[in-house]
Amino acid sequence: MPDTQALVNDFISKLKKRKIEGSQATAKQTAELLRSVISQTRVPYTNQAAALIQSVKAVGERLIAANPVELAVGNVVRRVLHIIREEDLSLTTAAMAGLNLSAVSDDEDDADRDNQPVLSAAAIAAASRSTLRPPSLQTLLEDVPDSAAIPHTSSSGGDSEGKSKSADKSSRSRKLKHDVIEAVNELIQDISTCHEQIAEQAVEHIHQNEVILTLGSSRTVLEFLCAAKEKKRSFRVFVSEGAPRYQGHLLAKELVMRGLQTTLITDSAVFAMISRVNMVIVGAHAVMANGGVIAPVGLNMVALAAQKHAVPFVVLAGSHKLCPLYPHHPEVLLNELRSPSELLDFGEFSDCLDFGSGIGAPLLHVVNPTFDYVQPKLVSLFITDTGGHNPSYIGEMYRLFVVSACGEGMNFKSEIMRTNCIAEGNFVKSSIRMRGINFFGKLEDRKSQFFCGCGEM
Amino acid sequence: MKQPPQKKDGPPVASSVAASERGVDRPVEKERKKDLPPPRMQFDDESRVDKAKRRSLLNQPEARNRVELFRHLPPHKNGSQLPYLESKFFELHEMHPSVYKVGLQYLTGDTSGGNARCIAMLQAFQEAIRDYSTPPEKTLNRDLTSKIGGFVSFLIECRPLSMSMGNAIRFLKSRIARLPLTLSESEAKAALCSDIDRFINEKIVLADKVILRHAATKIRDGDVLLTYGSSCVVEMILLYAHEIGKQFRVVVVDSRPMLEGQKQLRRLVAKGLSCTYTQLNAISYVMHEVTRVFLGASSIFSNGTVYSRVGTASVAMVAHAFHVPVLVCCEAYKFHERVQLDSICFNELGDPDAVSKVPGREDVNYLDNLTDKQKENLQLLNLKYDATPSDYISVIVTDYGMIPPTSVPVIVREYRKEYLLI
């Protein structure tokens, strides 16, 4: 597929050169690129999902390596992988439901998968029923029949998949790709409209005569504030300029053009003014699994000041910014240093740069980081397109997922890492586990199911 | 025009003697009243502002886009007044030329920093006193005091007084008031000039030397020291410690709009210190490797609050969050008996245009093309000072030693009487 390769290479070079600004644009372009990769992938008749996953993984790894700091790329890749697995599962269960329960094992397909026992029709029927319906409290309490059913269902799933393949090979192959591409289109739609959904919640959080503080510029924050203004709330905004990029000036201009009372302050005045502020609303670059926020530089200082003055610190983040990784040393590892020329004019300080110490190292270093890490305990509320969340809830979802998988003797992370070489059965096994947890965690809607796509690929 | 904090009329000795004649409880009341700082000029009171306008020399700038919270503070007077003032140089007979010069230097920002401004003002007053001659039928005490008052009001118009200047003026007026009436005019003038010299020498120059000694003991080899903005005392400490051979690194943190750290950076690098330069926003990034934070102060209030360049509070807060000790280096003459809780009740407003314009970066001038109607909604705030709460400060290094922030009112009470009795 030479044209997709060209697209992929072009995108990778843009990522490497940091030409794409902002996580929303990055996420959207990644999703579109993966959509074209999927549509161009030639899938065999068997193990379709594996082939799609393989190609997406290959491209995804290269994309993530191009800009490791842009976490939205990895998030989107994981969501697309999850979409593939989900669609595959739903097709399988649909096939099983529509299939006659008189099971005849298909010997010709046995060689393709692990050794699994051939089951009676009753067992297959029971298994199919249990996969289609969520487990009830009674089956939970009677733990044994349920766990015994599940490995069998995987094999029966495999069997029935073999049957369904033999029954209707060509239409199924087209259907998986089609479904996946539709779902990826939905994902792109979600990414594009995340601002509107977050902005809809603005009226619940902003009251009359409120004073709001923000730093730098974020499109989500701008739409949030404008939505509140549309609903006739009157409030004032203090915008901190956010040196050295001075995006606060841009936000102040936008707000002033829409008729909001805005005061532009320097970053040094944040501590002085925050005692007179009711709420701090900021955007984020990425949200980590523990609820910590990778935010534009300066926001840790604002968060500490807000905590000192008991001012709520609200972070707006679209769901493409939620990342399943835990941060370790995020100030260094998930940070980028920009050019020092934004701080010091080289012409003015070139004589200082000539001075050297005994070992020849220059005496003057200039540090210009792009991001700051804000600890989860400093954040009062996350507002995403699914609603408002506590920082612990964000981490809780990932932890809930991983623990449940472990509890049944399987680590989902290792599961995903092995998907490359394991046959169909385990896909279905892991998908069912996800489905079970979806029920308990009440993550029925598609938007929240990205949590299941976590872990290393 | 009402003077901000420091004016005390009348010799305190005479009043307490008179009061003791009237009863025991009266002196207590008078003392208490004297201890309360006199109220400041209220700029949100229309009538007073109009009165002040009529008496002032400078044209007051129109109040455009004033931030509501700060309407009680005088608006900034920028250097555009300079040609007007220069033209009036020969018209103001009551103004001494050296005082005029110092006022213009304040207006344009050539002289900045508490110590520098105080020394410049006192030396100008010395010149004025030397050239002074008592008019007939007037006593030296009263007339000179009122003349000094006139000079001070001019300086206030150019730029609001700093706390150090206020304390120095209070000292000078009390010295004038305590002059024995038996002295001849030349003897009195000589005594005053030598008093001013002593004040500068003892309270500023020698005090700085003592602070250097104390602070240098707190610097160990391998330290990474962080400093904010440009404080002359902290710069002296760093250069002194480097001279006596300590090995350390300096992180210079700077902020808009004044970017004072750049000048200090240049001076430090020229002397051979290894420096890292960054903006205030990146303070959480650099604080991981910092071992000590050294800050200067414009004044320290009696509740331990440090009144210093805007942004100091953020630095101290982040240092506190990372468990890095914060040392504030301040001479004792800058202490003040006022108390302040936040940075809004008393502050100084700077030039608002300095916020919207970023010098040297054409690509970020987003606020250039706004219509007037849009500009109504936009306010620009440029604060000069802020108040750091005392719980972020570990120790204050003064010429009286290293004290905790809670000991400031003790120093104010015990040692303030000292210069009344020199």
Side-chain angles (χ1 to χ4, degrees):
Chain A
M1 301 146 279
D3 44 345
T4 18
Q5 276 308 313
L7 281 176
V8 169
N9 289 338
D10 180 50
F11 189 60
I12 285 178
S13 77
K14 270 201 251 177
L15 281 177
K16 275 191 189 156
K17 292 181 193 163
R18 309 292 190 259
K19 288 251 179 74
I20 309 180
E21 282 276 356
S23 40
Q24 196 206 16
T26 318
K28 201 163 159 200
Q29 291 189 25
T30 310
E32 284 164 358
L33 180 72
L34 291 177
R35 180 179 60 189
S36 40
V37 165
I38 288 172
S39 62
Q40 295 283 347
T41 309
R42 242 179 258 129
V43 285
Y45 282 139
T46 56
N47 267 350
Q48 290 194 347
L52 285 178
I53 286 176
Q54 178 58 36
S55 61
V56 169
K57 259 178 73 170
V59 174
E61 274 166 2
R62 290 175 64 198
L63 293 179
I64 291 179
N67 189 349
V69 175
E70 187 59 77
L71 298 164
V73 174
N75 298 346
V76 167
V77 171
R78 288 184 201 101
R79 282 182 81 159
V80 169
L81 287 175
H82 172 67
I83 285 173
I84 297 174
R85 293 186 190 106
E86 273 283 307
E87 291 299 330
D88 192 44
L89 170 65
S90 67
L91 278 178
T92 311
T93 48
M96 270 186 351
L99 195 65
N100 278 339
L101 292 178
S102 57
V104 175
S105 70
D106 218 344
D107 288 329
E108 74 222 46
D109 293 304
D110 272 345
D112 290 338
R113 33 176 180 281
D114 300 343
N115 296 330
Q116 281 153 2
V118 174
L119 298 164
S120 66
I124 294 173
S128 63
R129 257 179 273 135
S130 63
T131 49
L132 290 174
R133 259 178 328 190
S136 67
L137 204 55
Q138 186 167 40
T139 50
L140 261 185
L141 288 171
E142 305 158 11
D143 197 28
V144 175
D146 199 50
S147 51
I150 290 183
H152 292 166
T153 41
S154 62
S155 61
S156 75
D159 277 343
S160 52
E161 215 167 285
K163 288 179 213 49
S164 56
K165 275 180 232 150
S166 57
D168 200 2
K169 281 184 190 175
S170 50
S171 63
R172 231 192 123 237
S173 67
R174 278 198 300 274
K175 205 161 182 324
L176 177 64
K177 246 206 206 181
H178 173 74
D179 285 348
V180 168
I181 290 182
E182 254 188 36
V184 174
N185 280 338
E186 253 185 59
L187 173 67
I188 295 176
Q189 188 63 19
D190 280 345
I191 295 176
S192 314
T193 58
C194 70
H195 293 148
E196 281 98 67
Q197 305 201 320
I198 294 177
E200 276 166 21
Q201 306 169 50
V203 194
E204 296 164 16
H205 296 283
I206 300 181
H207 59 74
Q208 287 283 28
N209 289 338
E210 185 142 10
V211 181
I212 292 175
L213 175 76
T214 183
L215 186 141
S217 170
S218 159
R219 189 168 149 217
T220 325
V221 172
L222 175 63
E223 308 243 343
F224 194 81
L225 295 176
C226 294
K229 175 92 170 56
E230 299 291 316
K231 303 268 170 62
K232 310 283 186 241
R233 291 287 151 96
S234 75
F235 55 96
R236 313 193 64 246
V237 183
F238 280 90
V239 179
S240 176
E241 60 179 7
R245 301 190 67 191
Y246 302 105
Q247 304 239 317
H249 291 229
L250 198 54
L251 180 68
K253 181 176 173 179
E254 294 287 325
L255 291 174
V256 158
M257 282 181 6
R258 288 168 213 222
L260 274 169
Q261 290 284 320
T262 315
T263 306
L264 182 65
I265 62 175
T266 54
D267 309 311
S268 33
V270 162
F271 190 90
M273 300 311 301
I274 202 158
S275 55
R276 298 294 185 271
V277 163
N278 297 131
M279 178 159 43
V280 179
I281 300 183
V282 295
H285 173 74
V287 179
M288 313 303 294
N290 64 343
V293 181
I294 308 284
V297 71
L299 277 172
N300 192 30
M301 186 175 74
V302 176
L304 286 168
Q307 189 197 40
K308 152 90 180 170
H309 292 93
V311 174
F313 187 82
V314 174
V315 176
L316 309 180
S319 58
H320 59 271
K321 295 186 178 166
L322 293 164
C323 178
L325 302 175
Y326 278 83
H328 170 66
H329 228 319
E331 309 84 19
V332 176
L333 296 180
L334 288 173
N335 210 339
E336 265 193 328
L337 294 182
R338 296 170 65 93
S339 161
S341 63
E342 289 177 358
L343 298 187
L344 282 187
D345 189 31
F346 180 74
E348 279 179 28
F349 280 86
S350 51
D351 51 341
C352 286
L353 295 169
D354 282 346
F355 291 112
S357 61
I359 52 172
L363 286 177
L364 177 58
H365 289 268
V366 180
V367 175
N368 187 5
T370 321
F371 298 120
D372 233 353
Y373 175 67
V374 179
Q375 293 184 324
K377 63 177 181 170
L378 299 173
V379 180
S380 312
L381 187 70
F382 282 101
I383 298 185
T384 68
D385 36 2
T386 49
H389 304 296
N390 227 20
S392 55
Y393 182 77
I394 302 244
E396 185 65 25
M397 291 322 303
Y398 298 117
R399 248 177 278 133
L400 179 65
F401 174 74
V402 174
V403 162
S404 304
C406 282
E408 307 220 280
M410 218 170 320
N411 188 349
F412 187 62
K413 276 194 180 178
S414 59
E415 203 57 9
I416 295 297
M417 272 158 38
R418 293 182 333 199
T419 50
N420 201 11
C421 47
I422 301 291
E424 290 291 330
N426 281 339
F427 281 134
V428 183
K429 202 190 305 187
S430 48
S431 307
I432 288 169
R433 196 126 309 120
M434 290 191 294
R435 184 53 63 91
I437 284 155
N438 286 352
F439 170 71
F440 293 132
K442 295 210 189 298
L443 293 180
E444 297 295 3
D445 53 325
R446 180 162 287 275
K447 280 177 208 153
S448 342
Q449 279 170 359
F450 68 84
F451 293 117
C452 306
C454 86
E456 275 65 75
M457 294 181 303
Chain B
M1 190 161 172
K2 206 102 174 58
Q3 312 301 339
Q6 308 71 10
K7 205 171 167 183
K8 278 197 186 164
D9 294 306
V13 178
S15 72
S16 54
V17 165
S20 63
E21 290 173 4
R22 273 171 267 161
V24 182
D25 46 345
R26 288 301 183 93
V28 174
E29 226 177 85
K30 267 210 127 82
E31 286 301 311
R32 215 172 343 117
K33 278 229 186 93
K34 273 202 294 270
D35 280 345
L36 277 182
R40 299 177 178 128
M41 166 77 184
Q42 287 172 262
F43 285 91
D44 47 354
D45 193 344
E46 286 294 330
S47 54
R48 294 195 200 197
V49 171
D50 284 335
K51 249 203 278 186
K53 250 192 198 169
R54 273 179 257 132
R55 275 189 268 159
S56 77
L57 291 164
L58 290 175
N59 299 328
Q60 299 277 2
E62 343 66 68
R64 44 176 177 90
N65 285 16
R66 296 177 67 170
V67 183
E68 280 302 311
L69 273 177
F70 291 95
R71 272 202 348 186
H72 59 288
L73 295 176
H76 173 79
K77 297 175 188 74
N78 52 18
S80 63
Q81 303 273 359
L82 195 58
Y84 169 75
L85 275 180
E86 278 174 355
S87 64
K88 295 191 79 173
F89 185 73
F90 294 107
E91 297 175 24
L92 300 167
H93 299 291
E94 62 272 14
M95 196 62 56
H96 192 270
S98 53
V99 176
Y100 201 73
K101 182 178 97 173
V102 164
L104 294 189
Q105 283 177 337
Y106 288 171
L107 186 66
T108 55
D110 286 340
T111 310
S112 75
N115 284 348
R117 286 170 70 188
C118 187
I119 292 176
M121 179 188 74
L122 285 175
Q123 286 173 341
F125 284 172
Q126 257 185 339
E127 294 262 334
I129 289 174
R130 279 194 204 110
D131 294 344
Y132 170 76
S133 56
T134 322
E137 294 140 23
K138 291 214 175 134
T139 57
L140 182 94
N141 293 16
R142 301 267 161 76
D143 190 55
L144 188 56
T145 309
S146 68
K147 254 194 130 57
I148 299 276
F151 295 159
V152 170
S153 61
F154 172 71
L155 291 179
I156 289 172
E157 280 181 40
C158 295
R159 194 180 154 184
L161 290 183
S162 70
M163 300 294 185
S164 54
M165 291 164 68
N167 288 348
I169 291 168
R170 197 167 22 165
F171 159 77
L172 183 60
K173 286 194 175 160
S174 68
R175 295 310 296 155
I176 295 174
R178 303 194 72 245
L179 280 176
L181 295 162
T182 51
L183 282 183
S184 73
E185 185 181 304
S186 54
E187 283 174 8
K189 282 180 354 180
L192 282 177
C193 290
S194 78
D195 277 342
I196 290 179
D197 276 331
R198 264 184 83 182
F199 183 88
I200 293 178
N201 197 30
E202 280 179 23
K203 300 288 179 185
I204 302 180
V205 176
L206 286 179
D208 281 345
K209 293 211 168 77
V210 174
I211 291 178
L212 288 192
R213 300 270 140 67
H214 284 303
T217 61
K218 290 297 179 195
I219 301 178
R220 310 159 298 183
D221 283 343
D223 262 347
V224 180
L225 307 177
L226 186 137
T227 174
Y228 177 71
S230 160
S231 164
C232 56
V233 184
V234 174
E235 194 181 320
M236 279 196 271
I237 291 173
L238 296 174
L239 293 175
Y240 174 72
H242 185 71
E243 266 174 55
I244 60 178
K246 306 229 174 179
Q247 302 294 321
F248 58 92
R249 259 194 320 125
V250 179
V251 179
V252 178
V253 179
D254 202 3
S255 82
R256 278 245 307 147
M258 304 195 50
L259 290 174
E260 299 172 313
Q262 290 187 352
K263 300 189 193 84
Q264 191 179 54
L265 176 73
R266 187 182 285 280
R267 291 192 288 258
L268 291 175
V269 173
K271 289 285 163 73
L273 277 87
S274 152
C275 299
T276 304
Y277 176 80
T278 183
Q279 280 247 1
L280 181 63
N281 277 338
I283 192 116
S284 311
Y285 180 83
V286 292
M287 195 57 78
H288 288 282
E289 38 180 35
V290 170
T291 54
R292 299 254 193 280
V293 175
F294 279 88
L295 298 172
S298 168
S299 169
I300 303 191
F301 296 129
S302 285
N303 60 344
T305 311
V306 174
Y307 187 70
S308 166
R309 180 66 67 216
V310 68
T312 311
S314 304
V315 173
M317 170 188 69
V318 176
H320 183 77
F322 283 83
H323 307 292
V324 175
V326 175
L327 292 88
V328 173
C329 308
C330 176
E331 299 89 347
Y333 85 101
K334 290 181 178 168
F335 291 0
H336 204 281
E337 66 258 11
R338 255 179 214 282
V339 291
Q340 189 163 324
L341 291 171
D342 57 26
S343 322
I344 300 179
C345 299
F346 179 64
N347 211 317
E348 189 184 327
L349 293 177
D351 187 8
D353 288 328
V355 175
S356 60
K357 292 258 179 307
V358 182
R361 298 274 304 275
E362 304 312 324
D363 50 327
V364 295
N365 284 335
Y366 302 115
L367 292 171
D368 281 344
N369 309 325
L370 286 178
T371 67
D372 282 332
K373 189 167 178 303
Q374 289 166 349
K375 276 194 197 154
E376 272 174 25
N377 291 333
L378 179 68
Q379 285 145 10
L380 300 162
L381 180 62
N382 184 2
L383 286 177
K384 289 243 156 144
Y385 293 102
D386 73 5
T388 308
S390 59
D391 25 344
Y392 294 149
I393 312 291
S394 313
V395 76
I396 302 179
V397 185
T398 73
D399 41 331
Y400 293 116
M402 291 198 268
I403 59 170
T406 47
S407 301
V408 171
V410 175
I411 302 253
V412 168
R413 191 188 67 224
E414 297 295 326
Y415 292 104
R416 193 48 61 79
K417 297 197 196 72
E418 191 186 274
Y419 63 66
L420 298 180
L421 299 170
I422 293 175

